[in-house]
């Protein structure tokens, strides 16, 4: 069973599917994708994300505010808890820290406060968090430890950082998820990290519509392309593609408390 553990179905480019999301989903299913996690990144669009999940048995969703959105300043723990009580919501996030675009201390403080609130909400509802991190390694790890994120668990998604960071996250009980970036020619260091992550703590994703894997790089990404990520990761670990599908599906089910 192949699972896309992180995608943004409300943001897909559907031009090749006559602007019909169902056609894109059917294509993914035809390539073996059995489940998709549609990840929320703003509260004002959460209902769109939830509606997609409600309409499809093989789609679940999350609720959260991406660190790059100004709305992080308005992060409300009670609202996150309220929205996460829906049975289709299996995680809190996407949350985390991204210092790549905005270097100001004021913005970083807002992101950090929002990140902490997401963790607090996740612990309250006993659901894992989905963490985005870029150019913020130490602060990300510090906040995970200070807020006791080990109590809710989660995943560092679309991982592009070092083995040292991955190791600390693994020690906190987190999973590490790899996207199409691992297939890029300039990602040799990331491939080395992927080889070191134990199979029982590994997930695969598209992060679609972003970061399409080789051979689709430059195109708009979609859940169907998680198959290429899976095949590539299987080669890195010297196991069969079927083994990667089976293992990452079990990991997904264990993390997000879904039945097989």
């Amino acid at each position: 069973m192949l699972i896309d553990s992180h995608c943004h179905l409300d943001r897909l480019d559907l031009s090749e599917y006559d602007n019909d999301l169902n056609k894109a989903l059917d294509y993914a299913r035809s390539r073996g994708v059995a489940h998709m996690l549609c990840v929320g990144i703003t509260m004002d669009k959460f209902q769109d994300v939830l509606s997609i999940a409600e309409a499809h048995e093989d789609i679940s969703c999350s609720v959260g505010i991406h660190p790059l959105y100004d709305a992080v300043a308005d992060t409300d723990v009670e609202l996150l808890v309220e929205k996460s009580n829906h049975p289709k919501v299996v995680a809190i996030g996407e949350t985390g820290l991204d210092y790549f675009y905005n270097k100001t201390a004021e913005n970083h403080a807002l992101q950090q406060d929002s990140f902490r609130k997401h963790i607090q909400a996740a612990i309250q509802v006993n659901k894992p968090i989905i963490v985005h991190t870029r150019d913020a390694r130490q602060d990300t790890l510090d906040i995970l430890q200070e807020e006791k994120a080990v109590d809710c668990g989660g995943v560092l998604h679309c991982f592009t950082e070092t083995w040292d960071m991955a190791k600390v996250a693994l020690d906190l009980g987190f999973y590490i998820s790899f996207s199409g970036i691992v297939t890029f020619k300039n990602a040799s260091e990331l491939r080395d990290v992927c080889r070191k992550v134990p199979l029982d703590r590994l997930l695969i994703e598209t992060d679609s519509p972003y970061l399409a894997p080789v051979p689709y790089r430059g195109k708009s990404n979609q859940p169907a392309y998680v198959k290429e990520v899976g095949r590539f990761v299987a080669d890195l670990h010297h196991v069969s593609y079927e083994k990667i599908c089976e293992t990452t599906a079990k990991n997904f089910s264990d993390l997000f408390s879904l039945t097989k």
Side-chain angles (χ1 to χ4, degrees), residues 17 21-32 36 56:
Y17 296 106
L21 175 61
N22 288 322
K23 291 183 179 179
L25 298 178
D26 284 343
Y27 179 56
R29 292 166 184 140
S30 75
R31 302 196 77 214
M36 292 158 268
H56 302 276

Side-chain angles (χ1 to χ4, degrees), residues 72-234:
V72 294
D74 302 316
T75 302
D76 184 326
V77 173
E78 291 184 2
L79 184 59
L80 287 171
V81 168
E82 174 192 336
K83 298 300 184 183
S84 69
N85 281 326
H86 193 286
K88 275 289 186 174
V89 178
V90 299
I92 302 290
E94 175 175 357
T95 181
L97 303 176
D98 192 318
Y99 296 168
F100 182 79
Y101 294 102
N102 193 319
K103 311 295 185 183
T104 67
E106 293 81 3
N107 175 265
H108 294 181
L110 289 175
Q111 290 189 37
Q112 291 166 19
D113 181 67
S114 177
F115 188 19
R116 292 181 187 276
K117 288 176 177 176
H118 279 78
I119 298 171
Q120 292 161 16
I123 292 173
Q124 280 193 44
V125 299
N126 194 30
K127 292 184 178 181
I129 55 168
I130 300 169
V131 179
H132 169 107
T133 179
R134 189 176 187 188
D135 284 6
R137 294 174 189 167
Q138 195 57 53
D139 283 353
T140 298
L141 294 175
D142 287 347
I143 290 174
L144 288 174
Q145 292 169 322
E146 290 165 8
E147 295 296 330
K148 296 181 172 56
V150 66
D151 291 344
C152 61
V155 55
L156 299 192
H157 104 94
C158 194
F159 195 77
T160 56
E161 302 292 344
T162 64
W163 168 243
D164 287 343
M165 184 178 192
K167 180 66 167 60
V168 176
L170 290 167
D171 289 344
L172 288 171
F174 273 64
Y175 290 73
I176 307 294
S177 181
F178 293 92
S179 70
I181 293 177
V182 76
T183 72
F184 296 177
K185 289 182 179 179
N186 62 350
S188 59
E189 292 183 9
L190 182 61
R191 288 192 280 276
D192 289 339
V193 174
C194 184
R195 292 185 185 100
K196 294 178 181 178
V197 174
L199 285 180
D200 64 355
R201 304 291 289 284
L202 187 148
L203 294 172
I204 54 176
E205 63 173 273
T206 59
D207 200 14
S208 52
Y210 317 107
L211 306 170
V214 175
Y216 304 106
R217 189 174 183 185
K219 295 182 62 176
S220 181
N221 205 358
Q222 56 180 298
Y225 298 163
V226 74
K227 185 170 187 175
E228 278 65 37
V229 180
R231 289 190 182 282
F232 198 90
V233 170

